[in-house]
Amino acid sequence: MATDNASTAASGYAQPEVDVRALAAVLDGEYAEVRDLVRTNLVTYASVLEEADELGVDAFRERVRELVVEMAATGQTGMGFPGRYGGGGDVGASIAAFETLAFGDLSVLVKVGVQFGLFGGAILHLGTERHHDAYLPDLVTGKLMGCFAMTETGHGSNVQALGTRAVYDDARREFVITTHGEQARKDYIGNAARHGELAVVFAQLEVGGKSEGVHAFVVPIRAGGEAAPGVHIEDDGRKMGLNGVDNGRIRFDGVRVPREALLNRFADVTAEGVYESPIENPDRRFFTMLGTLVQGRVSVGGAGVGVAKVALTIATKYAVRRRQFEASSGEEEQLLLDYGLHRRRLLPLLARTYALHFAQDVVRGQLHDVFSGIEDDAQARRRLEARAAGTKALGTWHATRVVQECREACGGAGYLSVNRFAALKADSDIFTTFEGDNHVLLQLVAKGLLTHYADEFENLDQLGMVRHVTGLAVETVMEKTSAHKLLERVRDLLPGGDEWDREAGLLDPEYQLAMLRYREEHMLAGVARRLKRGVDQERDPGAVFSQVQDHVIAVAHAHVERLVLEAFVEKLRALPEGGNKVALGLLCDLFALSTIEADRAWFMEHGRLTVPRSKAISREVNDLCRKVRPLAVDLVDAWGIPPEMLRAPDLVG
């Protein structure tokens, strides 16, 4: 236990005892053994944190590749692949391993993600046995390195508009892959500049003069270490961070690949040039294909939470050893974390990190169930896709915010490269646009909310969504959201009925959940009304949607925050009584109330908070920060970050 007795006495509260080892077991969950393997490997290869600063770009890239191959030999990186190909056959374990790997150098993390998550995942989920047998054994060991060539210079999130073409030549039974213009150039492709031998290339398939939409092909991009015929590769050069990953640009000039190069799980082309697919609707086929790649979003969201843990651990440990300004004349200077403002800066972020950890547990479990066949139907996949998108967005935005706040909380020392914030900031910033720009992902979340996962979900682009929603009676949307019922529930939870200035009830999880549900469902009904009003006025659906995009993002954000709180509350209820449950209860309250406080303007505008009650919430947040303060070191220690990964000699020794 690392409870600070002096701080406990100063707080005036009886503090719960935190059992760090038991709490770590709760956090590691069923994958404790997997996470410990990754921690052991991180310590073994801890020197890479220094080498990232010391080596030139080319040498660092080679070092990262070496480490990825060495880690593959331990089984750490192949846990999501079938056992017959040398994998572990456990999708959930592969995500847990990736989340833990985020404690270390992030170039290594991303190289692992590109090789085994994106490239390997595409072969596994979009290919069939012929592809698995040909590529997976060497892919899983790292002997065969590859790329995931989807993003184009002119087409990022809009995958359906990709410009690369794959035309079937039935005379030679080959696909001819061509980059049509600079906007169709594959860009920012990891493993492309140096190490990739193959690429999974996403291109518009044309068969018999007819476009069949975007499909994926396995294309050799190197032969004997040199670019393959017709393949042109450029190095993206130095980036803001992650310079151990060899990102590059790829263009294809009439590159020919055999018919079998098509990853044909969802569609195929016969030798005679006949296009076949068990999914007749082309839009449904496209979204089904992309849905199999959701693992990347789940992984990046978890990595964002891992980055936040590292930053908060450094800043918290620094704040309980660094002193500044005496409380009164002649007294010893105070520890940073004993200042109210410093607690306010760090501890709500700590609470939110715990909340996101438990939310990540939920989405990881859903992913495992879907990809293991435990619950694999259309509705389950849609729920997974939406939840993965939302959790990734909030988790990676949180990482960016936490790294910045923690850097500032460590002053000038946090700015020195010898301490880890410089690398964390540079390397994790891209997470907010990895695997989809967060704003675009939240639009996907909102689409699911507005359509209630209608049968035609996959077919609905933004305009289709507008038309679908406006075809519903607003009264129906209101009834489904039952916002008016929630309002009554919120009021009932407050002692004294309409006496909104009463402080009692703030720590009731039912009150907290009702507030977040009311916000979400009121926003959802409001978006539906705005969409319907615009179309009733015979305005262009695209313009209508554009005008309400800020509301769309707001409702999606509110929805995911509600899911995060629900995950925390459910986890808390399942724990046995004791000090750890009390400590996590404080964090859950702190997360919930600081979330309401952060959006107090909305709640006040919509009559859910009076000024006195808003002030009461702020007082309660301050009280919770005082209660959490003596537990802070124990709470960050429970994350189990190896000391070697903190690499902040000026901050934590």
Side-chain angles (χ1 to χ4, degrees), residues 29 37 70 123 194 209 232 244 388 422 444 450 510 567 569 621 640:
L37 170 62
E70 290 176 25
I123 297 286
R194 290 289 185 275
H232 305 275
L444 173 64
L450 287 163
E510 290 301 325
V569 170
V621 169

Side-chain angles (χ1 to χ4, degrees), residues 60 133 175 181 236 262 295 350 396 458 468 592:
F60 186 43
D133 291 344
F175 294 103
D236 274 322
L262 172 65
Q295 181 173 334
L350 188 151
T396 55
E458 292 92 346
H468 176 86

Side-chain angles (χ1 to χ4, degrees), residues 329-607:
S329 179
E331 291 190 6
E332 184 180 26
E333 290 183 304
Q334 280 191 283
L335 293 170
L336 291 181
L337 204 55
D338 286 334
Y339 286 99
L341 178 59
H342 212 82
R343 291 195 296 266
R344 263 282 191 162
R345 296 175 70 181
L346 296 184
L347 299 186
L349 296 179
L350 188 151
R352 192 175 185 88
T353 303
Y354 263 82
L356 287 166
H357 174 101
F358 294 125
Q360 178 70 13
D361 283 348
V362 174
V363 75
R364 186 196 326 108
Q366 290 180 341
L367 178 79
H368 180 82
D369 289 350
V370 166
F371 282 79
S372 300
I374 297 172
E375 186 183 10
D376 187 10
D377 56 50
Q379 288 291 321
R381 284 184 173 266
R382 291 164 186 163
R383 286 194 300 269
L384 169 61
E385 290 165 22
R387 187 150 192 160
T391 305
K392 184 268 180 184
L394 265 62
T396 55
W397 271 328
H398 178 66
T400 298
R401 176 188 174 192
V402 166
V403 171
Q404 179 63 28
E405 192 65 53
C406 288
R407 203 293 300 161
E408 291 183 27
C410 292
Y415 195 65
L416 299 178
S417 289
V418 70
N419 299 312
R420 209 174 158 200
F421 285 115
L424 284 176
K425 188 175 180 66
D427 291 343
S428 68
D429 194 76
I430 190 65
F431 286 10
T432 58
T433 48
F434 259 172
E435 292 294 316
D437 176 276
N438 284 349
H439 288 91
V440 175
L441 294 184
L442 287 184
Q443 289 184 68
L444 173 64
V445 175
K447 173 181 167 183
L449 294 172
L450 287 163
T451 62
H452 300 282
Y453 302 111
D455 289 340
E456 61 271 35
F457 179 84
E458 292 92 346
N459 307 336
L460 298 176
D461 55 14
Q462 291 178 355
L463 303 187
M465 182 181 71
V466 172
R467 295 187 181 103
H468 176 86
V469 172
T470 55
L472 300 173
V474 173
E475 291 77 12
T476 301
V477 176
M478 286 294 292
E479 181 60 30
K480 286 183 177 180
T481 60
S482 61
H484 61 290
K485 296 178 182 177
L486 265 174
L487 171 58
E488 295 306 316
R489 176 66 177 141
V490 171
R491 289 181 180 273
D492 291 345
L493 285 167
L494 298 176
D498 289 334
E499 296 179 22
W500 289 76
D501 59 344
R502 295 282 298 276
E503 294 186 35
L506 291 180
L507 302 184
D508 185 338
E510 290 301 325
Y511 163 74
Q512 297 162 1
L513 285 167
M515 288 289 280
L516 295 197
R517 287 170 183 153
Y518 179 84
R519 179 182 62 166
E520 171 193 348
E521 297 182 355
H522 190 285
M523 286 181 171
L524 181 60
V527 170
R529 282 195 299 269
R530 287 178 172 87
L531 291 173
K532 189 174 190 304
R533 184 185 309 125
V535 174
D536 286 347
Q537 294 171 352
E538 299 184 351
R539 296 167 54 206
D540 177 70
V544 172
F545 182 82
S546 180
Q547 282 201 332
V548 303
Q549 271 184 306
D550 55 336
H551 297 280
V552 166
I553 297 301
V555 70
H557 195 282
H559 169 70
V560 182
E561 280 195 325
R562 188 261 296 173
L563 293 179
V564 172
L565 179 58
E566 283 184 345
F568 204 159
V569 170
E570 289 171 10
K571 187 68 177 183
L572 190 61
R573 287 171 174 167
L575 292 178
E577 297 300 325
N580 285 351
K581 183 167 186 174
V582 174
L584 289 182
L586 294 174
L587 288 181
C588 189
D589 288 335
L590 181 53
F591 167 67
L593 293 185
S594 60
T595 298
I596 295 170
E597 181 188 48
D599 205 13
R600 71 169 83 200
W602 188 93
F603 287 107
M604 294 178 79
E605 284 176 354
H606 294 82

